[in-house]
Amino acid sequence: MRALLDTHALLWYALNDQKLSTNARDLIVDSTNEIHVSPASFWEIAIKVSIGKLALHQPFETFIDLCLNQYHFLLLPIAPDHTARVAQLPFPPKHKDPFDRLLVAQAIAESMAIISDDSQLDAYPVTRLWN
């Protein structure tokens, strides 16, 4: 299975946070699955670190290296067709997060599920995996 990590799932896995569901953790560690991460997630984390909303206990560059080289997450580059998909997505009344919208668009364009605890993503035509 191919799946894209939502930003919080990426963080919770990397930080060994108990908020990550057992099912999500099992999906991530299953070596038969291809687990992808978007540069949009790294960008979102970088913004939160820079404004003091998130503290990593390591340099940001080390965090990226850990995700790509130790956990072997695959980087899913942002392609023009991904951004075109964003333009086609509905705007659910209570969900306008631009990072989430890009992740959803990437997952749809690449026929991937998204590993996320965010039930607001259920408003989009994407398979969300969590429980």
Side-chain angles (χ1 to χ4, degrees):
M1 177 192 56
R2 297 172 69 227
L4 180 62
L5 290 176
D6 197 345
T7 304
H8 64 269
L10 170 65
L11 273 171
W12 293 347
Y13 181 80
L15 300 175
N16 199 28
D17 193 308
Q18 296 304 309
K19 290 182 252 182
L20 185 69
S21 73
T22 301
N23 186 54
R25 185 173 304 282
D26 289 347
L27 290 167
I28 293 168
V29 300
D30 183 339
S31 63
T32 64
N33 293 333
E34 284 184 15
I35 305 300
H36 296 256
V37 63
S38 172
S41 290
F42 290 134
W43 181 23
E44 182 177 8
I45 293 166
I47 289 170
K48 289 180 179 183
V49 167
S50 70
I51 63 174
K53 199 171 184 181
L54 174 67
L56 296 176
H57 302 289
Q58 60 200 350
F60 183 69
E61 295 80 3
T62 303
F63 174 79
I64 292 173
D65 184 65
L66 182 75
C67 292
L68 299 177
N69 296 313
Q70 183 173 333
Y71 301 143
H72 303 290
F73 296 147
L74 302 170
L75 188 63
L76 179 61
I78 299 168
D81 64 314
H82 299 160
T83 60
R85 291 278 179 149
V86 173
Q88 299 168 2
L89 289 176
F91 260 107
K94 296 182 180 178
H95 192 259
K96 299 189 188 324
D97 183 297
F99 293 104
D100 284 351
R101 290 175 57 77
L102 179 55
L103 294 177
V104 165
Q106 285 185 283
I108 292 169
E110 299 297 329
S111 300
M112 291 182 183
I114 189 163
I115 298 175
S116 177
D117 185 34
D118 188 350
S119 62
Q120 292 187 29
L121 300 188
D122 296 340
Y124 299 102
V126 65
T127 300
R128 182 177 65 89
L129 304 172
W130 192 254
N131 294 326

